[in-house]
Amino acid sequence: MTETTASASPAAVRGRDRLPGKALFGLFLAGFIGILTECLPAGLLPEISRTLNTSVAATGQIVTIYAAATAVAAIPLSRLTAKWSRKTVLQVALGIVTVTNALTALSTDYTLTMIIRFVAGLGTALVWTQLAGYAARLSPPSVQGRAIAIALAGTPISLAIGVPVGTWLRTFGGWETAFWVSAALALLNMLWLVAFLPGLPGQAGHERFTLRQVVAMPGLRTILFALTTYMVAHNILYTYVTDFLRSAGMETQAGWVLFAFGVTSVLSVLVVGAHIDRHLRKLIVASTLLFAVSVLVLAVLSGVPVLVYVAAAAWGLAFGSSPSLFIGGAINATGEASDVAQSIVISFFSASIALGGLVGGLLIDGLGTGSLTWSSLVLLVAAAIAVLGGRKHAFPKGA
């Protein structure tokens, strides 16, 4: 499956004086579907648990196993497919997502569903390792950051719009409808990419880097540490946000609080997309500090509903395009080894989702719901120190 002749060479594409909008939309949609497939069960757990004849807690593990599969598989699958056409990799990945979403809708057995979700996570691992690098290679150097932001914008928009809409779709024939629609959307995405995504070659053998070489590159370890602490902090709080709001006496307002988070998450895509190519360091510093201040407000002033809304909105603004910032930093720090670096970043990103959910649950059981915000704040302080201190290689001045 090695590509010998790309349908559009990177040099030719880079010569364009504007972003390849149709191709970037296809990449955006792939990311949107990846997050949708991962998080869709969260809004459907009671209904799914009845179909599978299991508890809600046990059914929730179909989200965990998906994230775990993505984390474990991102690096080995990226290296296994390194010589393949980038377009082929993305089409195979979306094909896996299409089939597994359809099979999830059909399954009535818990064990089978867990296996299907694990395979779905493998498909998404391949999707996520392609998006940023593909967008960068398709775009002129002066706007590569903006292209990456567009390609990765599917994450916040899927969380803000896709998951709630998927939950609403259950009213049209049960929870299975949401998965059927997701499968159809993935299939349409494949057709769109056939029509509008230029092909790019994989890596020749002499161009490949070992994991040890890439991890040793200046700045990457700092980026990975900042990413992990930032994302675990987010997932500790986001996974159990309804429990936090219940403890704050705002359980009935959870939907509106999450709406505020979602709206500003989408807004962050516009802000970051407009400035990432010239101000990546300033944006990542602002994102980390704003997130930390938001969590501090939630920890200290959760009894003031209006401030909870303000903090949730600020949190969404900080978090929305954070994947673009961290991946953009990794691409800048690793240069020609960026394909390998992205697979490492995706592994850490996905592992942080699973770890955040696990740690959050342990905190609630051991220390109570109030510990969620303070634990997240400690992690964000560590992330901020790493980001501020990474001015030489990880997040250099002028980047």
Side-chain angles (χ1 to χ4, degrees):
M1 303 184 78
T2 304
E3 181 176 90
T4 55
T5 304
S7 58
S9 70
V13 177
R14 288 178 188 272
R16 297 174 182 171
D17 57 1
R18 61 187 177 87
L19 289 169
K22 292 179 180 178
L24 289 179
F25 176 76
L27 296 175
F28 159 86
L29 190 56
F32 178 95
I33 293 167
I35 289 294
L36 180 64
T37 301
E38 178 169 351
C39 298
L40 192 57
L44 305 167
L45 288 181
E47 294 84 355
I48 298 174
S49 66
R50 285 194 289 270
T51 299
L52 301 181
N53 196 28
T54 57
S55 68
V56 171
T59 305
Q61 300 313 302
I62 68 175
V63 177
T64 303
I65 196 170
Y66 185 105
T70 303
V72 170
I75 293 174
L77 287 182
S78 177
R79 297 188 69 78
L80 179 66
T81 59
K83 292 185 178 181
W84 295 13
S85 156
R86 301 297 86 191
K87 187 171 181 176
T88 298
V89 173
L90 200 51
Q91 291 286 49
V92 168
L94 286 169
I96 292 172
V97 172
T98 301
V99 172
T100 51
N101 273 333
L103 291 176
T104 301
L106 292 171
S107 176
T108 58
D109 180 80
Y110 178 73
T111 302
L112 178 59
T113 299
M114 289 286 281
I115 294 171
I116 293 170
R117 291 285 295 175
F118 182 85
V119 175
L122 301 182
T124 302
L126 280 175
V127 170
W128 278 106
T129 55
Q130 299 306 309
L131 298 182
Y134 217 135
R137 291 174 67 184
L138 286 176
S139 305
S142 61
V143 290
Q144 285 180 354
R146 187 180 304 173
I148 292 170
I150 293 171
L152 297 180
T155 298
I157 293 178
S158 185
L159 290 172
I161 300 172
V163 174
V165 169
T167 304
W168 169 73
L169 285 171
R170 67 185 174 187
T171 60
F172 298 93
W175 65 267
E176 295 90 346
T177 304
F179 280 91
W180 282 118
V181 171
S182 296
L185 191 60
L187 181 59
L188 289 174
N189 191 188
M190 294 178 68
L191 296 175
W192 181 276
L193 295 181
V194 167
F196 299 112
L197 186 69
L200 294 175
Q203 297 173 296
H206 67 279
E207 296 174 325
R208 297 166 66 179
F209 294 80
T210 67
L211 291 176
R212 182 175 297 181
Q213 287 175 322
V214 177
V215 171
M217 289 182 172
L220 185 60
R221 281 170 291 186
T222 300
I223 293 170
L224 294 175
F225 176 82
L227 167 70
T228 302
T229 50
Y230 186 108
M231 291 300 170
V232 171
H234 166 77
N235 285 287
I236 284 174
L237 196 53
Y238 189 82
T239 303
Y240 299 98
V241 67
T242 53
D243 197 64
F244 168 79
L245 292 173
R246 180 186 56 77
S247 70
M250 297 178 63
E251 184 176 11
T252 58
Q253 301 179 58
W256 288 109
V257 173
L258 290 173
F259 178 75
F261 173 90
V263 168
T264 52
S265 293
V266 175
L267 178 62
S268 74
V269 174
L270 302 177
V271 174
V272 169
H275 301 288
I276 189 172
D277 289 296
R278 292 175 296 168
H279 303 294
L280 187 145
R281 176 176 172 79
K282 291 179 180 178
L283 288 169
I284 192 67
V285 169
S287 172
T288 308
L289 294 179
L290 180 60
F291 189 4
V293 171
S294 303
V295 174
L296 179 61
V297 171
L298 291 175
V300 177
L301 300 169
S302 61
V304 185
V306 66
L307 292 181
V308 172
Y309 277 98
V310 171
W315 174 16
L317 185 63
F319 175 78
S321 283
S322 55
S324 302
L325 298 174
F326 284 111
I327 292 177
I331 289 175
N332 289 344
T334 57
E336 294 181 356
S338 61
D339 280 356
V340 179
Q342 286 172 75
S343 66
I344 297 172
V345 169
I346 295 305
S347 288
F348 276 71
F349 183 90
S350 299
S352 298
I353 295 175
L355 185 59
L358 174 62
V359 172
L362 293 174
L363 286 170
I364 291 174
D365 289 341
L367 300 174
T369 303
S371 65
L372 295 176
T373 48
W374 292 110
S375 299
S376 295
L377 184 59
V378 170
L379 289 169
L380 287 169
V381 169
I385 292 172
V387 168
L388 290 169
R391 62 172 58 88
K392 185 174 182 180
H393 297 294
F395 305 105
K397 289 184 177 181

